[in-house]
Amino acid sequence: MQVPVIIGILTTLLSNKMCTAEQLAEKYEISKRTVYRYLDVLSQAGVPLMVRHGRNGGWGIIDNYRLSSMYFTKDEYKRALLAVKSFSLQDDVTQSVADKLQGINREFDNVGSSEKLIVDGSAMEGLQEKITILQHALENNLTVSGEYHSKEGVTRRSLEPYSMIFKDGSWYVYCFCRLRNDFRYFKIARFAELHLEGERFIPRRFSVDVSLLSGVSKRTEYSDVILTVSGSALTEVEEWLGIGHVAKLGDDYVAKARLPIDDYLVGKLLSFGAKVKVESPEPLRNKIVEACTAVRETYGM
C-alpha cells in the first residue's frame, strides 16, 4: 500500500468536485482496482466519500468536509509527511502532496470552537442513523439525548455536541454533558439509541484537551507483535501492516509491528485462520487460543 498515493487521492478529491476511477488511475498510474481499494481505505478512515452515477458522475467528498489538524495525531502527521517525502517517485504530484500536508495547521494544544468535522455514515456501517443525527445537531447547534453504555453502567445523557474525532479506529463525539456539567468524549458506538432533542443551544467556548484526547485510548495496551505469515496471506498482511513490516523467512514470512492488544486485533488475526500464527507476545497468543476454544465450545466440538 502506497501511503503517498492514498494521500494524493485524498487531496485530489478535496480540490475537485468529482473524479472518476479512470481519472484517478491515470493520474497516479495505478489500476482501477487499486483505486477502489484505496478509496475503501479512505472511507474506513472516516473520509465522507460520495459517488454519483451517470453523466458528470464519479467520486467526491461532501462539500462541508475539510481536512483538519484533528484528522492526524502529531506522530501520525509526522509519519505521513515522512512517507511522502521518502517516496521514490518525487514528481510534481508528490511535491504537491507534501506541500499540502505541510500547510495543515499543527496546533495540538488548542482547537478553536470553529473546529467541526462533519461526516456522513457511509464508512461506518451500523452507525448510520446516529451519525446522521449528530451531523444535523452539529450543523445547527441542537442538543441530543441518548442511552449511553459504559463500564460504569447505563446512563441517560443530554448533550451539546461540538465535534467528532476519529481515534484509533473508533469515532468519538466531543460534547458538553449536562448530566456531568462538563465536556466529555463519548464513543458513538456505545449509544444504544440517540435522539434530537430539538433545543438550540448557544455554543460555549471550548478547547480540545490533547492529554484527554490521547487518554481516550490509553487504556489499550500496545505491544510489539511478531507473526509468522504464510505466502497465501502475504498480500493481505502487507496491506494491513505495510510492506516494511514484513520480511521473508525461509518458506514463510515474518511480520513485526507495534499494535494495540484488543478485541479488534484478536478478531483480525482470527480472520486469517491458520495462515497467520502469533509468535509473541504470549498474552496475545493466549487470547487467540481462548477465542478458538470458545468457538469450539459454541459449536459443541
Side-chain angles (χ1 to χ4, degrees):
M1 183 180 297
Q2 299 181 21
V3 173
V5 174
I6 295 177
I7 298 174
I9 290 175
L10 173 60
T11 56
T12 297
L13 293 177
L14 285 169
S15 59
N16 291 276
K17 289 187 176 180
M18 301 295 288
C19 285
T20 66
E22 289 83 357
Q23 289 170 332
L24 292 171
E26 181 179 356
K27 181 172 184 177
Y28 293 100
E29 298 181 349
I30 55 179
S31 67
K32 281 177 58 179
R33 182 178 178 181
T34 301
V35 168
Y36 288 128
R37 189 168 73 248
Y38 286 177
L39 288 171
D40 185 56
V41 170
L42 290 174
S43 180
Q44 290 180 28
V47 177
L49 299 175
M50 60 180 181
V51 61
R52 185 180 302 150
H53 299 284
R55 188 178 181 183
N56 299 321
W59 291 85
I61 297 177
I62 60 174
D63 292 339
N64 58 355
Y65 175 86
R66 65 189 181 87
L67 189 60
S68 162
S69 60
M70 289 168 59
Y71 187 82
F72 295 106
T73 66
K74 189 173 183 178
D75 289 340
E76 289 168 347
Y77 171 77
K78 288 182 177 179
R79 182 69 59 82
L81 187 57
L82 178 63
V84 172
K85 287 185 174 181
S86 62
F87 188 43
S88 58
L89 181 59
Q90 290 294 323
D91 58 2
D92 292 341
V93 174
T94 307
Q95 185 58 50
S96 175
V97 172
D99 291 342
K100 289 174 181 177
L101 275 174
Q102 287 178 314
I104 295 177
N105 186 13
R106 306 308 309 153
E107 294 182 1
F108 288 94
D109 55 346
N110 182 62
V111 180
S113 60
S114 63
E115 292 293 330
K116 292 182 179 180
L117 179 59
I118 312 298
V119 300
D120 71 1
S122 59
M124 292 154 280
E125 234 177 280
L127 298 181
Q128 176 71 55
E129 184 178 353
K130 299 181 184 72
I131 293 296
T132 301
I133 290 171
L134 288 170
Q135 178 176 346
H136 184 68
L138 282 164
E139 290 173 341
N140 298 282
N141 294 326
L142 297 175
T143 58
V144 299
S145 63
E147 181 182 283
Y148 190 71
H149 293 236
S150 66
K151 293 182 179 179
E152 288 71 35
V154 179
T155 53
R156 187 80 189 176
R157 305 291 181 122
S158 178
L159 307 168
E160 301 171 8
Y162 284 81
S163 64
M164 284 192 283
I165 300 168
F166 185 69
K167 180 71 177 176
D168 293 335
S170 298
W171 278 99
Y172 299 84
V173 59
Y174 188 61
C175 303
F176 183 83
C177 176
R178 292 182 172 181
L179 177 65
R180 305 302 185 196
N181 197 35
D182 196 8
F183 282 95
R184 298 287 177 91
Y185 290 99
F186 296 90
K187 193 170 187 177
I188 297 175
R190 289 189 176 274
F191 283 102
E193 38 83 15
L194 199 61
H195 303 284
L196 277 172
E197 290 185 335
E199 177 188 344
R200 192 177 298 275
F201 64 86
I202 298 174
R204 308 168 189 263
R205 284 187 59 84
F206 79 99
S207 62
V208 175
D209 186 333
V210 176
S211 62
L212 182 60
L213 176 60
S214 300
V216 168
S217 59
K218 276 185 177 177
R219 299 188 195 95
T220 302
E221 174 192 356
Y222 281 74
S223 293
D224 292 321
V225 176
I226 301 177
L227 309 171
T228 297
V229 181
S230 68
S232 59
L234 175 62
T235 300
E236 192 174 351
V237 172
E238 285 180 336
E239 289 185 356
W240 171 37
L241 299 177
I243 294 176
H245 289 276
V246 184
K248 180 73 172 174
L249 183 65
D251 295 331
D252 292 316
Y253 297 84
V254 61
K256 298 181 180 180
R258 188 164 184 78
L259 300 170
I261 309 302
D262 54 17
D263 291 341
Y264 172 81
L265 178 60
V266 172
K268 180 70 175 179
L269 291 169
L270 287 173
S271 71
F272 291 109
K275 298 176 183 177
V276 173
K277 178 184 176 183
V278 177
E279 300 295 345
S280 68
E282 192 66 24
L284 179 58
R285 285 173 56 92
N286 294 338
K287 284 179 180 287
I288 298 294
V289 172
E290 290 170 6
C292 290
T293 301
V295 171
R296 288 176 59 88
E297 291 175 352
T298 298
Y299 287 93
M301 300 174 66

